[in-house]
């Protein structure tokens, strides 16, 4: 992320990128359920769409804002760079997070609009179980480890492909399908579709994501801190995460 980019443009990039990411997640989930009744096929379509969409968004908007699209990534970037001033400033963090949340909600509403669904319909998909919270700790922690590990080893340029691929894998090896993103989690509460999460399940997911982010940062220090003092501003994400990100279908918690 270039320091020459105006702050307002960075914030807009975060809002637009997060909105586009959630539109991809929710829209592909709706499309998948309309095209197939098989939950495995639905999840495959949803995950592939998210992988491709996330990778493209990171490549496009990374040079503008860092392509965080995720409050825990922004928080980690601020935390790791707070002493040397090489990451996000506290003011930038305070601007990024609301923009990401607003973008996520907008993306969910946009996806519903594209498929002629109610623009806002609170999700009824309850995801309130300890195994899902453990999955969110793991998904978020490994995402932070990947992003900041790449930066610490001088491989931040690989982030678009690496982060997108990891999110795609986490769709399948975590029972929560790797939301790993507080903003996306909030946005997905606004759609009662394949990708939704009930509002009552959101606080526990976000708590697990914050715990995962702290664990991921601890692993970065343990594994990579002595290697390279790589600038936090090189870090890019999502996700879905990010991404986040996929929904696991009605037959799963």
């Amino acid at each position: 992320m270039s320091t020459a980019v105006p702050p307002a443009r960075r914030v807009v990039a975060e809002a637009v990128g997060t909105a586009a990411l959630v539109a991809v997640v929710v829209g592909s989930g709706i499309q998948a359920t309309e095209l197939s009744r098989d939950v495995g096929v639905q999840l495959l379509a949803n995950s592939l769409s998210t992988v491709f969409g996330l990778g493209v968004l990171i490549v496009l908007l990374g040079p503008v804002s860092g392509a965080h699209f995720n409050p825990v990534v922004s928080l980690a970037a601020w935390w790791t760079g707070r002493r040397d001033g090489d990451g996000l400033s506290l003011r930038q963090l305070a601007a990024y997070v609301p923009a990401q949340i607003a973008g996520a909600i907008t993306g969910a509403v946009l996806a519903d609009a594209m498929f002629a669904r109610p623009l806002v319909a609170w999700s009824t998909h309850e995801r309130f179980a300890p195994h899902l919270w453990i999955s969110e700790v793991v998904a978020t922690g490994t995402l932070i480890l990947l992003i900041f590990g790449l930066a610490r080893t001088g491989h931040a340029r690989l982030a678009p492909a690496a982060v997108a691929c990891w999110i795609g894998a986490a769709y399948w090896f975590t029972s929560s399908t790797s939301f790993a993103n507080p903003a996306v989690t909030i946005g997905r509460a606004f759609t009662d579709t394949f990708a939704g999460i009930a509002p009552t399940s959101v606080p526990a997911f976000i708590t697990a994501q914050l715990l995962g982010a702290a664990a991921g940062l601890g692993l970065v220090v343990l594994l990579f801190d002595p290697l390279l003092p790589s600038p936090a501003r090189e870090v890019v994400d999502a996700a879905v995460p990010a991404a986040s990100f996929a929904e696991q279908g009605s037959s799963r918690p």
Side-chain angles (χ1 to χ4, degrees), residues 1 77 80-81 84 86-87 147-148 151-152 154 156 228-236:
M1 178 179 67
T80 56
D84 56 14
D86 207 17
I147 293 169
F148 287 83
R152 297 282 177 173
L228 287 176
S230 183
R233 64 172 176 266
E234 292 186 50
V235 177
V236 292

Side-chain angles (χ1 to χ4, degrees), residues 13-245:
E14 284 297 301
V16 170
T18 310
L21 175 60
V22 175
V24 168
V25 173
V26 174
S28 64
I30 296 172
Q31 186 78 286
T33 58
E34 292 184 352
L35 296 177
S36 175
R37 294 182 179 273
D38 186 284
V39 175
V41 173
Q42 292 170 358
L43 187 59
L44 179 62
N46 197 199
S47 61
L48 285 176
S49 181
T50 300
V51 167
F52 294 138
L54 178 58
V56 168
L57 288 170
I58 295 173
V59 170
L60 176 64
L61 297 176
V64 181
S65 68
H68 296 183
F69 313 146
N70 188 333
V72 296
V73 173
S74 299
L75 183 62
W78 166 73
W79 180 262
T80 56
R82 71 193 188 286
R83 284 176 290 188
D84 56 14
D86 207 17
L88 286 182
S89 68
L90 191 57
R91 178 177 295 182
Q92 289 172 327
L93 176 65
Y96 268 37
V97 173
Q100 292 158 351
I101 294 172
I105 295 170
T106 301
V109 171
L110 177 61
D112 282 337
M114 289 191 292
F115 286 90
R117 301 295 180 93
L119 297 185
V120 175
W122 297 114
S123 175
T124 57
H125 194 135
E126 293 288 343
R127 302 173 185 270
F128 195 85
H131 68 282
L132 299 177
W133 305 334
I134 294 171
S135 292
E136 283 302 292
V137 171
V138 171
T140 310
T142 53
L143 178 63
I144 294 296
L145 176 62
L146 172 63
I147 293 169
F148 287 83
L150 288 172
R152 297 282 177 173
T153 55
H155 294 107
R157 67 188 182 282
L158 301 177
V163 170
C165 287
W166 184 250
I167 290 299
Y171 258 86
W172 293 90
F173 79 76
T174 63
S175 60
S176 66
T177 60
S178 184
F179 282 48
N181 185 327
V184 170
T185 303
I186 292 170
R188 288 168 62 164
F190 284 74
T191 177
D192 193 20
T193 60
F194 183 76
I197 177 173
T200 53
S201 299
V202 168
F205 260 55
I206 292 177
T207 299
Q209 290 158 0
L210 292 172
L211 291 173
L217 281 175
L219 287 173
V220 170
V221 172
L222 179 64
L223 297 173
F224 299 114
D225 214 36
L227 295 181
L228 287 176
S230 183
R233 64 172 176 266
E234 292 186 50
V235 177
V236 292
D237 160 34
V240 308
S244 173
F245 294 172

